[in-house]
Amino acid sequence: MPDLIAPGLRVLFCGINPSLYSAVVGYHFARPGNRFWPTLHAAGFTQRRLAPSEQEELLTLGYGITNVVDRATATAAELVATELAAGGRKLAAKVRRYRPRFIAMLGVSAYRVAFARPDATLGLQPETMGETRLWVLPNPSGLNAHYQLKDLARLFRELRRVATASS
């Protein structure tokens, strides 16, 4: 699954790994039940709800997408800790290269494992990746029943406000 990335983005959204469906169609967060695209719109990142096939429009707005692990799976639960940790190291190198202002990790459990931060919570993290600030958000997958769309939008909106203010 190719990254949607460019130097100097406002926010680089980082999923855990692509779904099998996304890998087949070639677009991030493409599975019909995924709430990433509706959440971006509801949080004010986009003027309208983008379809996964319109993902390139994010770059013009200063946003991009990557994943911690490149391997596509039916669920993120299929990943093992060593894959997440290796993906975390690869992601850190990518962040040093592209230097986004913020990296938004989409999944607190995966973040905890990938970066050996067992006590991490949602929101702005105390550590950085170079100059890049870290923000942890819930996974927008439809399989994550802990958060409704309105809750996801509220949490994503907090990041948008901070990322926009620091522009």
Side-chain angles (χ1 to χ4, degrees):
M1 187 78 179
D3 288 335
L4 182 69
I5 195 167
L9 295 170
R10 255 191 219 115
V11 179
L12 179 61
F13 291 97
C14 184
I16 300 168
N17 73 309
S19 70
L20 294 173
Y21 185 87
S22 285
V24 168
V25 300
Y27 299 115
H28 292 275
F29 302 104
R31 190 177 175 135
N34 195 292
R35 299 169 297 173
F36 178 76
W37 299 103
T39 300
L40 280 190
H41 174 60
F45 282 100
T46 60
Q47 293 295 315
R48 63 181 177 83
R49 181 178 169 177
L50 299 176
S53 61
E54 298 174 299
Q55 67 183 17
E56 294 288 327
E57 290 188 32
L58 285 182
L59 290 176
T60 65
L61 300 171
Y63 309 119
I65 304 173
T66 191
N67 290 291
V68 176
V69 175
D70 293 330
R71 183 170 72 94
T73 60
T75 70
E78 296 176 38
L79 301 173
V80 296
T82 54
E83 280 181 289
L84 289 165
R89 290 187 296 275
K90 184 177 169 186
L91 177 63
K94 193 179 301 184
V95 166
R96 284 191 301 275
R97 178 177 177 200
Y98 287 98
R99 299 175 183 222
R101 288 187 206 131
F102 285 87
I103 182 145
M105 302 296 302
L106 305 180
V108 67
S109 296
Y111 174 74
R112 289 172 179 158
V113 174
F115 294 97
R117 302 279 189 240
D119 298 324
T121 59
L122 295 176
L124 184 63
Q125 302 302 301
E127 63 274 355
T128 62
M129 284 185 188
E131 298 294 312
T132 300
R133 297 171 76 187
L134 289 159
W135 198 286
V136 177
L137 291 164
N139 183 344
S141 167
L143 300 174
N144 182 1
H146 298 291
Y147 292 91
Q148 299 298 315
L149 180 59
K150 67 180 172 108
D151 301 315
L152 289 170
R154 177 180 49 79
L155 293 167
F156 275 59
R157 193 175 301 115
E158 285 180 42
L159 167 61
R160 184 186 56 79
R161 285 185 186 136
V162 173
T164 304
S166 67
S167 296

